[in-house]
Each structure stands twice: as C-alpha cells, then as structure tokens.
Amino acid sequence: MAYVVFNYLYRDASNYKAWGAVLLEDDMPGRRSEELGSSLSGVNFVARQLGVRDLRADLWKWSGGLPNEDDHEWHEICGISAATDEDSQTYPVAGFLSAFLNRLERARIPVG
C-alpha cells in the first residue's frame, strides 16, 4: 500500500510554531495527493478530533512547561504529499486517507 504524509502545524497567538506529520494509507488512488494537499492548505482543525498528536505542548517548554495566554486548540494543515521511504520510517501511521478526510470534514473550523 502506498502512503501519503499529512503535514500540520500549531501556531500560537504569538506566532510560535510546532510542526507534526503522520502517514496515511492512500486508499484513494485516483486522487493526486499534491492537489488534495493544496486544496486543504491553511484549513484549521482541532487535533484530537482527527486523532493526531496535539502539538501545543511542544511550545510549553518555553513557558515553564505549562499552557499560557497565547494557547488555543486550532492546528493548521500544511499539506498532503506522497510519502518517501524516509517518511515511512519516520512518521506514525494514522489510518486510511479516506477515513481521515471524513473526520476532517466533520472537524474543520469554518473560516470567516
């Protein structure tokens, strides 16, 4: 089975950033992952609703290990791309692409 990489980030209110990525089994072979990724780029979501790691704690080391007034729950999609062999060895698998996109559709935060 082929994989794609879902890249995302957390950006707090002071614009400090933490990045994350997971592998998804590509069960949608007719869709190009690059086109899909560009159409989702910038979409906001809550990490726990998608079952991906919440990246907020990565920034807490700069604030004494605790949340601060700049924190919120929103994470941002950076893109989806075809996985390389190195990606397959680096990132955890988070399920199938189609199921992930269904969860995203239910979880995404409307913009505007």
Side-chain angles (χ1 to χ4, degrees):
M1 168 98 25
Y3 290 95
V4 295
V5 178
F6 172 76
N7 292 291
Y8 65 109
L9 72 89
Y10 173 73
R11 179 192 326 247
D12 73 9
S14 291
N15 206 30
Y16 290 99
K17 300 174 185 104
W19 287 267
V22 294
L23 288 174
L24 299 167
E25 292 186 49
D26 189 357
D27 60 343
M28 303 174 69
R31 294 187 77 167
R32 292 198 44 211
S33 57
E34 291 79 15
E35 291 171 7
L36 181 60
S38 65
S39 71
L40 293 173
S41 184
V43 169
N44 294 316
F45 65 94
V46 175
R48 73 180 176 300
Q49 292 178 317
L50 291 187
V52 298
R53 188 170 73 83
D54 189 319
L55 303 174
R56 292 179 292 173
D58 291 0
L59 299 181
W60 295 345
K61 62 185 170 194
W62 307 112
S63 62
L66 298 170
N68 64 55
E69 65 276 356
D70 289 339
D71 289 330
H72 52 78
E73 288 191 292
W74 306 319
H75 289 64
E76 181 180 328
I77 296 174
C78 295
I80 296 174
S81 59
T84 65
D85 289 338
E86 183 179 338
D87 293 333
S88 299
Q89 301 298 317
T90 304
Y91 303 121
V93 177
F96 290 98
L97 177 59
S98 61
F100 191 84
L101 292 175
N102 286 335
R103 287 193 309 271
L104 175 62
E105 189 57 39
R106 291 190 309 270
R108 67 194 292 176
I109 298 168
V111 176

